[in-house]
Amino acid sequence: MPCLVTIGGFYGDEGKGKIIAYLATKDDYNVAARGGVGPNAGHTFVQNGKEYKVRMLPSAVVNKNTRLLIGAGVLVEPNILLKEIHEFNSVDRTFIDFQCGIIEPHHLETDKSDNHLKQTIGTTGTGTGPANADRSSRKLKLAKDLPEVSLFLEDVSNSINYSIDNKENVLIEGTQGTFLSLYHGMYPYVTSKDVTASAICSDVGVGPKKIDDVLIVFKSFVTRVGEGPLANEISIDEAREKNWLEFGSVTGRQRRAAPFDFNLAKKSIQINSATQIALTKLDIIFPQCKSIKDYSKLSNDAKKFVENIESETGIPVTIIGTGSETNDTIDRRKYVK
Ligand code: IMP
Ligand code: MG
């Protein structure tokens, strides 16, 4: 059984939550581990008409057989974690690493009041930047210091490596997007750590030789929230007309929009050593594709759009999202791999 990593290819909000919810339902992972920054990321998925959001748990929570891990590199906000564990009834299958950093109220206050963070960078205000600054100063509290989360503590790197070595089916979930990386993104308009595939694996304690596939998620157009450059940005009115207008799942802020960007796609495939693409929201670009589950039934323009991405990037588009419901998905893995 393979070990798969999912990564955001643009600026976050590519639709990773939906893709992971689909994979988790279809592939029945034994274990899913969340990497990335922390509760600044909100992953959304829709099942049977009901919308769910997770900011701490892996999105594979939709599969009740999957063990849910949060890696040592991830910041935990205890109130959000406990609320989600309760909401998804996952007390007996959620585990966080002893060494996850803890976000405290003063981190949130700083993130919301500091002029540089709030105005210049446009952070999500969820305390993650100030908490990571404390972590690098070695004064951040860790999960093992906090009685509220003691029930969920585990050596996550040991647990996930054990699963991989025993040929279990393992998913490692990235959050944010490649161009929000502290190292590879458009500094200073970035998040507070690296979020590319290598960093996500490091967050959960898995080394580079244990990964079989890196699935990079691109939306059919590009969006970004917060400040910083966005090539070929269109106006809000134009975005509304095209139905590209979105609002942030954590902050509710209006997202800026631009057409699919091949330069960014190629660079993020390189940085992440991506092997496959999941393309989301094809139905927003080609409305007649809505809810189609069979590739052969796509219109010719939609197929051309997909095939152009494959020929430009050199890797296959194996999963295509055609609607917000988890099963509004075309799965081409067995044909194109
Ligand atoms: P921070 O991560 O809250 O410090 O915010 C830094 C930048 O990253 C801001 O532009 C945020 O809007 C952006 N950002 C952080 N996490 C996400 C995410 O999950 N999706 C989209 N943008 C994000
Ligand atoms: Mg999001």
Side-chain angles (χ1 to χ4, degrees):
M1 284 292 202
C3 178
L4 174 74
V5 185
T6 54
I7 293 293
F10 291 140
Y11 298 99
D13 309 317
E14 299 90 354
K16 295 180 289 297
K18 182 246 157 93
I19 296 297
I20 296 167
Y22 170 78
L23 293 173
T25 311
K26 187 91 185 163
D27 292 3
D28 215 11
Y29 295 102
N30 301 94
V31 170
R34 179 161 168 155
V37 184
N40 50 349
H43 285 180
T44 308
F45 50 88
V46 179
Q47 271 197 318
N48 306 320
K50 186 162 187 260
E51 185 177 271
Y52 301 89
K53 271 181 197 168
V54 281
R55 290 173 57 192
M56 289 280 24
L57 293 179
S59 302
V61 65
V62 292
N63 187 325
K64 297 197 166 39
N65 301 319
T66 304
R67 270 163 53 83
L68 308 171
L69 310 179
I70 299 178
V74 179
L75 294 164
V76 167
E77 216 277 54
N79 299 318
I80 299 174
L81 175 73
L82 296 172
K83 186 175 147 278
E84 290 182 2
I85 289 174
H86 178 73
E87 182 186 345
F88 289 96
N89 201 7
S90 66
V91 177
D92 53 350
R93 61 186 179 110
T94 303
F95 302 91
I96 71 172
D97 196 274
F98 289 100
Q99 305 222 78
C100 286
I102 296 294
I103 298 173
E104 296 193 83
H106 68 94
H107 296 121
L108 284 135
E109 280 152 33
T110 308
D111 207 2
K112 286 182 178 144
S113 60
D114 181 277
N115 222 29
H116 174 71
L117 293 174
K118 189 173 168 31
Q119 307 298 340
T120 311
I121 308 299
T123 72
T124 60
T126 54
T128 51
N132 273 334
D134 276 357
R135 182 134 196 181
S136 61
S137 305
R138 272 114 333 141
K139 52 188 191 195
L140 187 67
K141 207 178 256 179
L142 300 184
K144 62 179 184 203
D145 306 320
L146 208 72
E148 294 105 284
V149 297
S150 59
L151 191 59
F152 306 104
L153 296 178
E154 184 173 87
D155 180 343
V156 162
S157 60
N158 184 53
S159 168
I160 190 168
N161 278 287
Y162 181 88
S163 292
I164 295 170
D165 294 346
N166 284 286
K167 315 274 182 247
E168 289 187 354
N169 205 6
V170 174
L171 176 69
I172 300 177
E173 300 184 12
T175 63
Q176 281 81 33
T178 299
F179 298 102
L180 293 175
S181 162
L182 180 63
Y183 300 153
H184 304 289
M186 293 164 186
Y187 187 90
Y189 304 104
V190 293
T191 190
S192 53
K193 60 186 262 202
D194 185 18
V195 288
T196 61
S198 310
I200 298 297
C201 294
S202 160
D203 287 340
V204 303
V206 171
K209 292 182 75 170
K210 293 205 173 161
I211 305 303
D212 297 296
D213 262 309
V214 178
L215 180 72
I216 194 153
V217 185
F218 294 130
K219 191 156 59 188
S220 297
F221 51 98
V222 181
T223 58
R224 114 168 262 179
V225 273
E227 302 306 314
L230 178 60
N232 305 311
E233 181 169 0
I234 62 172
S235 71
I236 292 298
D237 285 342
E238 204 182 332
R240 189 177 297 110
E241 226 161 84
K242 289 177 180 292
N243 199 18
W244 291 7
L245 206 56
E246 297 179 353
F247 294 87
S249 68
V250 173
T251 58
R253 289 179 295 178
Q254 196 164 275
R255 293 179 184 153
R256 301 154 58 200
F260 190 93
D261 187 327
F262 287 96
N263 293 328
L264 290 184
K266 286 179 200 172
K267 189 160 164 59
S268 72
I269 286 168
Q270 181 180 57
I271 295 174
N272 292 294
S273 68
T275 56
Q276 305 178 19
I277 294 169
L279 184 66
T280 62
K281 294 207 168 186
L282 190 65
D283 58 302
I284 301 293
I285 309 275
F286 304 100
Q288 69 276 33
C289 299
K290 176 90 179 148
S291 302
I292 284 181
K293 296 171 181 70
D294 178 350
Y295 187 77
S296 67
K297 300 206 169 106
L298 288 180
S299 64
N300 285 338
D301 336 355
K303 283 186 193 156
K304 223 182 272 165
F305 183 79
V306 172
E307 282 153 27
N308 189 33
I309 291 174
E310 293 184 319
S311 70
E312 287 281 329
T313 62
I315 62 170
V317 175
T318 54
I319 310 266
I320 299 170
T322 56
S324 53
E325 274 283 339
T326 301
N327 61 9
D328 284 340
T329 303
I330 299 170
D331 189 340
R332 305 168 77 208
R333 287 177 294 174
K334 60 174 183 286
Y335 308 108
V336 300
K337 205 148 171 220

